[in-house]
Amino acid sequence: MRQYSPDLTPPWKKPKPAPEVPAEPGLVVEEPGTGFCGAVIRCEAGTVTLEDRFGKHRVFPLEPRGFLLEGRVVTLVRPSAAPARPSRTASGSVAVPGARARVARAGRIYVEGRHDAELVEKVWGDDLRIEGVVVEYLEGVDDLPSIVADFAPGPDARLGVLVDHLVPGTKEWRIAQEVTSEHALVVGHPYIDVWEAVKPSSVGIAGWPRVPRGQDWKTGVCRALGWPENTGEVWQRRVLGRVRSYRDLEPELLGRVEELIDFVTDSGGA
C-alpha cells in the first residue's frame, strides 16, 4: 500500500507562483544565484543565453523562479513560435493591423542626429507612417535658422524640431527661440545625448556615467562602462537594441516627441 506524507508547510510560507515571462531577445534579467545580469541573446530548449554589458555570454537553465526582472522573481519561458499580433505599437498607441502608410505630409520633424532618428523610428515608426509624417536628421543645430528659412513653414507645412540638451541659457536654447513661430515648433530634452534618454535599467546599467568636459560624450561613456569604443556598434547592440517600447525611454523624451507629432498633424497641418 502506498503511503503519502502530508504537506505540513503553512500556506503563508509556501512560495507564490512566479509570473511567466517569454525570454524575448533583448530582455534584461538577472540570475540571482550568480548575480549575472544581461540581455537575452537566444533561448533554446531548456536554456537561455545572456550577454552582460561587457559582452560576456552565460548559459542558464530555464528553471522555475530562476531569474529577476526589475527586482521581481520570474520564470522565463521559451517564446512561442508564432507570437500574437501586438494590440499596441511600440509607442503605446492602439495598433492598426494592415493599415497603409499615409502619403507623406508636407510637414516634417527634424531631429539632431542619426541616432535620434533611429530611436524615434523604432518607437514611433508605426504611428508616423499612419500619420504620413517624415522624420529627417540634422547634423547639429548651428545651421537651424537657415534650414528653417529654406523650409518656409506654413499652415500646410508645419515643422517640428527635436533638440538635444535644450536647457535655458545654452546656445541651443537661443537658436530655438530664434526659429520658433506659429508654424515651427522647437522642443528638446535635457540630456547631453539621446543615449541618456534610454532608461539605464533597460540597458542593464546602474546609471549613465558622468563624462568630463572636453571629452566626447559617447566615447567617454564607452570607456567608463568598459564597452568597445566603436560608438556606432555600441549604439546598435547595447542601447537601441535594448529598446522595445516607450517603457524603455525617459518621460522627458516621450513627452517632447508626442508634442511634435501632435503639432505637425494638427488640423493646421497638411
Side-chain angles (χ1 to χ4, degrees):
M1 177 183 293
R2 290 186 179 180
Q3 293 185 349
Y4 296 91
S5 298
D7 184 356
L8 301 179
T9 305
W12 60 87
K13 288 190 176 182
K14 292 181 180 180
K16 296 181 180 179
E20 292 187 349
V21 177
E24 301 284 359
L27 180 71
V28 178
V29 295
E30 178 183 348
E31 199 286 316
T34 61
F36 189 90
C37 181
V40 173
I41 299 300
R42 57 182 170 272
C43 184
E44 300 168 329
T47 65
V48 62
T49 302
L50 305 182
E51 180 188 53
D52 71 4
R53 64 189 179 91
F54 301 108
K56 183 178 180 181
H57 290 193
R58 290 280 297 274
V59 180
F60 297 99
L62 290 175
E63 296 180 342
R65 304 176 60 84
F67 296 89
L68 297 178
L69 175 62
E70 297 181 349
R72 297 183 299 111
V73 176
V74 298
T75 297
L76 289 188
V77 296
R78 193 174 183 182
S80 58
R85 187 186 300 273
S87 60
R88 292 190 176 273
T89 67
S91 71
S93 300
V94 176
V96 184
R100 293 185 178 182
R102 178 175 174 171
V103 175
R105 294 173 181 266
R108 291 287 187 274
I109 290 178
Y110 287 164
V111 297
E112 272 208 59
R114 182 184 299 273
H115 292 180
D116 305 66
E118 290 175 343
L119 183 61
V120 170
E121 161 62 26
K122 185 161 188 179
V123 176
W124 287 274
D126 290 340
D127 302 357
L128 293 169
R129 279 182 284 277
I130 290 175
E131 295 290 350
V133 177
V134 175
V135 175
E136 300 178 4
Y137 70 90
L138 313 164
E139 289 296 338
V141 297
D142 289 347
D143 297 326
L144 187 58
S146 61
I147 291 172
V148 173
D150 290 342
F151 185 88
D156 297 326
R158 289 188 160 199
L159 179 63
V161 184
L162 178 69
V163 178
D164 295 342
H165 199 227
L166 190 60
V167 178
T170 62
K171 173 190 70 176
E172 292 82 2
W173 178 265
R174 290 191 293 272
I175 292 175
Q177 295 296 303
E178 178 182 346
V179 302
T180 296
S181 68
E182 181 183 359
H183 305 299
L185 175 65
V186 181
V187 300
H189 56 75
Y191 306 111
I192 295 174
D193 191 277
V194 77
W195 287 25
E196 278 193 296
V198 180
K199 291 180 179 178
S201 59
S202 298
V203 183
I205 60 177
W208 290 104
R210 293 183 177 274
V211 177
R213 286 182 175 273
Q215 184 178 151
D216 177 74
W217 189 86
K218 292 186 179 76
T219 302
V221 165
C222 291
R223 288 173 180 169
L225 295 175
W227 290 349
E229 293 185 20
N230 184 333
T231 56
E233 181 180 350
V234 167
W235 164 250
Q236 291 295 332
R237 292 187 57 199
R238 299 177 183 270
V239 186
L240 182 65
R242 304 288 174 83
V243 174
R244 297 177 297 282
S245 76
Y246 72 96
R247 295 184 179 88
D248 296 304
L249 304 181
E250 299 287 1
E252 288 82 357
L253 176 67
L254 293 173
R256 302 295 74 74
V257 175
E258 296 286 352
E259 184 178 356
L260 289 179
I261 295 174
D262 289 344
F263 178 78
V264 174
T265 60
D266 184 75
S267 59

